[in-house]
Amino acid sequence: MAIYHARRLTGVHRDLARKEDELSRLHRAGLIISSRLRLKETLESILQLALEVTNARYGIFRLLDKSGEFLITTAVGGSNMDRPIIEKMPLNGNSVMAHVARTKQPALISDLRMEPWAHIYYPLDSGLKMLSELAVPLVNSSGRLEGVLNLESPHVGAFTEDNSHMLQSLATYAVTAIQEVRLLDALQEVARLLLAEPCQKVLDHL
């Protein structure tokens, strides 16, 4: 009985340590946002946090373009990448990221060799064989899709539900960064119009 309680206590301590580490990483993500880095640098920093916390081999941020038809690579990271495939990806295409974007639901894939994933897997690097994938949508408060954050690993069953929840939290920080950049761009555009156009035209634009 004493051994049972000791093991249970050890497990509790391990869980608490893991939660403390997760909170620390989320705090770091918040500091990244508040530091007002450029969007690409912010997303690269968040992606690096995601790679660290999940032990993924590499990952990528793709954001929805203005047309709403393509996912455009904004940040990519990881180790031993020789030929990352970073061209724009059609939203109606046959890939895991496009699937997550369309459904606005996370995808936790333990084995990419299994159906239906085997037919829609789209490698981030054609020279590397990945077996697990974790992807979460970036969705703002109004429900609008902003993009997808995707991680991959060469190991089967590399990602857990806890990893998925953490990645969704980091995705929320990414959405905040995107919205702040858009707000700043809008304010700069209004300032430019105020200097160059009649007030009525500025109001019409707003």
Side-chain angles (χ1 to χ4, degrees), residues 37-44 63 74-75 174 177-179 181:
L37 297 172
R38 287 177 297 181
L39 180 60
K40 185 176 186 299
E41 294 171 342
T42 300
L43 295 183
E44 286 174 347
L63 302 185
T74 308
I178 294 166
Q179 291 178 324
V181 167

Side-chain angles (χ1 to χ4, degrees), residues 6 8 14 26-27 33 49 74 83 89 96 101-103 106 117 133 138-139 141 148 151-152 156 168 177 187 199:
R8 185 175 180 183
R14 190 182 301 114
L26 289 176
H27 179 65
I33 299 299
L49 274 176
T74 308
R83 298 181 297 277
M89 178 182 291
V96 174
R102 290 192 300 269
T103 62
W117 313 114
E133 187 165 357
L138 310 180
V139 181
S141 57
V148 178
L151 302 178
E152 295 188 12
V156 172
Q168 290 174 64
L187 291 174
C199 288

Side-chain angles (χ1 to χ4, degrees), residues 68-84:
E69 297 179 358
F70 295 95
L71 293 169
I72 307 297
T73 298
T74 308
V76 63
S79 58
N80 302 321
M81 285 190 298
D82 294 325
R83 298 181 297 277

Side-chain angles (χ1 to χ4, degrees), residues 178-191:
I178 294 166
Q179 291 178 324
E180 287 189 354
V181 167
R182 285 185 175 159
L183 177 59
L184 180 59
D185 288 346
L187 291 174
Q188 290 175 338
E189 175 66 9
V190 169

Side-chain angles (χ1 to χ4, degrees), residues 51 55-59 77-80 128 130 152-155 159:
L51 292 170
N55 293 315
R57 173 64 60 85
Y58 59 93
S79 58
N80 302 321
L128 297 176
M130 296 292 111
E152 295 188 12
S153 170
H155 306 294
F159 304 114

Side-chain angles (χ1 to χ4, degrees), residues 8-27:
R8 185 175 180 183
L9 188 60
T10 300
V12 170
H13 286 162
R14 190 182 301 114
D15 289 342
L16 287 174
R18 188 183 74 251
K19 291 298 182 183
E20 184 177 353
D21 181 62
E22 290 177 356
L23 289 173
S24 175
R25 293 177 189 275
L26 289 176
H27 179 65

